[in-house]
Amino acid sequence: MNWDDFAGWSKHIADWGAQYHKTLRDRPVRAQTKPGEVAAQLPDAPPSQPEDMGDILRDFEDIVMPGMTHWQHPRFFAYFPANAAPPSMLAEQLVNTVAAQCMLWQTSPAATEVEGRMVDWMRQALGLADGFTGVIQDSASSATLSAVLTMRERATGYTGNREGLTGKGALRIYCSDQVHSSIDRACWVAGIGQANLVKIEGQGPRFAMDADALDATIRADVAAGHTPAGVIAITGGTGVGACDDLGAVAQVAKAYDLYTHLDAAWAGSAMICPEYREIFWKGVDAYDSIVFNPHKWLGAQFDCTIQFLRDATPQLNTLKIEPEYLKTSGDAVTNYSEWTIPLGRRFRALKLWFLIRSYGLEALQTRIRNHVAWAEELCDAIRAMDGFEITTDPILSLFSFRCPGDDAMQQHLVDAINDDGRIYLTQGVFAGRKIIRVQVGQFDTTRDDVMAVATVVQEVWEAIT
Ligand SMILES: *Cc1c(COP(=O)(O)O)cnc(C)c1O
């Protein structure tokens, strides 16, 4: 393809994209595809001769698009959002076009310096203390793994990487039973082991781990000859939005000199609003590592995860490696690939720069406040429905409910709602029972879209019973 053809097709795709977004409400939110349906339309073998881009794009529309679930649909209330605000999409187009590897300062100085500034803009926006630095990663899972590896290395006097873990006894990490599966997986991959990830029951209105129970558990582990390595707290758990008491948890961790990591992957975006910081964020400055995903609620196109670090040194001591081919001239510069597990890195900071400049923080705050208010209104509407039960009240914009009937009936209703296609919800489990989750957070959603959930739930419920 020559660059004149590239320009033509780029314009075609930009127009297609605007049209797609303007007509999204006409599409079912969740793909209505059966397993194997898309694969059956693809040739078994690759073509040996060139094909026309017009044909390729036609097949994209005919074969691929019907098999897509529309995460940017204004009636997407499943999982957590993966918002791609238009200015961040434009930045991604530029990043894709320049296609630089931003592993070292030298391999694209602007990428490093914009990243440093964006991390600091977000630090200020989230009300974190002066002195936090950070790095943009691909996912919260990677940031959490980086933090768990740092816990491991710090607890073994930085000998794990060199010597392996043989003979080092049980390293223990503590969290609540409300954490995301990425914490379990980080412990598997880091050689900690699931058996050494100790989960404390989440209790009370925000399903927080009890600091006294945490203290007693660590003390017992020390007495048993184990090596406590770190504590992981959560603000906004995936299931029902659990939030730990950050100050109380950090205080226990510090008493044992443990490294602390906070997972605020989803709820972190809401902390651009000072009033939510008052409720959910007190004590946050004590954490050694904090992860939040601007690629969820805030509007930066996936992928964009910020890991804030109170002091980057322990993580650098854990992950930095400098083979000859990566050595640079010794200038005092930041080489962000030394802060993370992958070497190669995309220029992820550009979409934050475009996003924040294009909207300004106030407009982004307003969106989040609206989502929280509309979730509360919707929750009240479902509470008023005959036989329906609110199983967990809204934490920010996430709540859960049950329809009349057993667990199988909850799943039946979720499946029927998603087959209907007007909205998209997902199920979860809380206190041993199946629940139906609702989160409000899609970037273009309106109050009408949100309140449509009550109507659709009622109509589908009547249709299946
Ligand atoms: C989404 C989420 C994660 C995982 O995020 P990725 O960026 O997909 O790895 C971890 N923790 C919480 C609380 C989440 O909501």
Side-chain angles (χ1 to χ4, degrees), residues 80 138-142 180 182 234 236-238 263 265-266 293 295-296 302 305:
F80 280 137
D138 60 349
S139 64
S141 302
S142 298
H180 185 267
S182 56
I234 189 147
T238 313
D263 180 2
W266 162 65
N293 282 349
H295 70 225
K296 278 184 171 158
F302 187 85
T305 290

Side-chain angles (χ1 to χ4, degrees), residues 123-353:
R123 176 194 68 75
Q124 297 171 47
L126 269 57
L128 296 176
D130 254 355
F132 273 98
T133 58
V135 58
I136 302 186
Q137 302 221 29
D138 60 349
S139 64
S141 302
S142 298
T144 293
L145 176 55
S146 306
V148 168
L149 289 167
T150 303
M151 290 173 183
R152 182 192 84 187
E153 286 303 293
R154 197 173 159 274
T156 58
Y158 297 92
T159 63
N161 282 341
R162 263 202 321 276
E163 301 169 2
L165 299 178
T166 307
K168 293 198 162 64
L171 300 175
R172 307 281 270 184
I173 291 180
Y174 309 87
C175 62
S176 88
D177 60 1
Q178 294 294 311
V179 294
H180 185 267
S181 55
S182 56
I183 279 106
D184 301 73
R185 270 212 288 212
C187 290
W188 300 355
V189 176
I192 303 291
Q194 184 81 58
N196 294 310
L197 176 63
V198 185
K199 295 190 179 175
I200 316 270
E201 192 194 351
Q203 295 173 327
R206 290 199 206 117
F207 321 108
M209 69 173 133
D210 179 50
D212 291 337
L214 174 65
D215 186 73
T217 308
I218 299 174
R219 188 155 353 119
D221 273 0
V222 173
H226 299 327
T227 306
V231 177
I232 299 176
I234 189 147
T235 300
T238 313
V240 294
C243 291
D244 285 319
D245 178 340
L246 300 185
V249 168
Q251 202 182 349
V252 173
K254 296 299 158 188
Y256 294 91
D257 187 32
L258 301 184
Y259 197 79
T260 48
H261 175 65
L262 170 61
D263 180 2
W266 162 65
S269 294
M271 301 307 139
I272 63 171
C273 303
E275 69 272 31
Y276 302 136
R277 298 208 285 267
E278 284 297 306
I279 305 170
F280 299 105
W281 215 223
K282 286 239 169 80
V284 68
D285 288 333
Y287 284 76
D288 295 308
S289 163
I290 301 166
V291 65
F292 112 96
N293 282 349
H295 70 225
K296 278 184 171 158
W297 205 352
L298 199 66
Q301 178 157 15
F302 187 85
D303 50 359
C304 186
T305 290
I306 298 188
Q307 184 191 16
F308 295 105
L309 294 167
R310 220 153 57 92
D311 172 7
T313 314
Q315 188 156 314
L316 277 158
N317 286 344
T318 300
L319 296 178
K320 179 174 171 174
I321 186 164
E322 206 177 24
E324 189 57 35
Y325 52 83
L326 292 177
K327 288 198 174 131
T328 52
S329 59
D331 299 331
V333 294
T334 299
N335 294 317
Y336 276 123
S337 59
E338 295 169 353
W339 301 45
T340 60
I341 297 158
L343 171 64
R345 33 200 345 269
R346 306 176 63 247
F347 185 1
R348 299 192 185 90
L350 195 73
K351 56 197 165 194
L352 271 177
W353 197 47

Side-chain angles (χ1 to χ4, degrees), residues 350-413:
L350 195 73
K351 56 197 165 194
L352 271 177
W353 197 47
F354 275 45
L355 175 81
I356 297 167
R357 291 184 65 188
S358 178
Y359 289 95
L361 284 178
E362 278 182 23
L364 297 171
Q365 290 166 332
T366 301
R367 265 193 173 70
I368 288 187
R369 288 177 181 134
N370 282 341
H371 295 164
V372 172
W374 297 336
E376 284 168 0
E377 209 179 330
L378 173 63
C379 179
D380 288 341
I382 293 179
R383 202 192 303 274
M385 282 163 51
D386 213 18
F388 281 69
E389 170 197 356
I390 298 302
T391 39
T392 58
D393 284 312
I395 291 183
L396 294 166
S397 65
L398 172 67
F399 68 93
S400 67
F401 70 91
R402 272 174 72 95
C403 65
D406 60 7
D407 279 0
M409 186 50 113
Q410 313 305 314
Q411 191 63 52
H412 184 40
L413 178 59

Side-chain angles (χ1 to χ4, degrees), residues 46-102:
S48 54
Q49 297 303 313
E51 295 188 41
D52 182 65
M53 187 49 65
D55 293 339
I56 299 171
L57 279 173
R58 225 176 342 272
D59 284 346
F60 166 76
E61 291 209 41
D62 295 346
I63 299 172
V64 174
M65 282 312 288
M68 295 305 291
T69 291
H70 302 289
W71 283 72
Q72 307 312 319
H73 197 299
R75 292 184 178 179
F76 182 100
F77 304 104
Y79 308 100
F80 280 137
N83 288 327
S88 86
M89 293 168 62
L90 293 177
E92 281 290 77
Q93 288 178 21
L94 296 172
V95 167
N96 288 342
T97 303
V98 178
Q101 269 293 352
C102 307

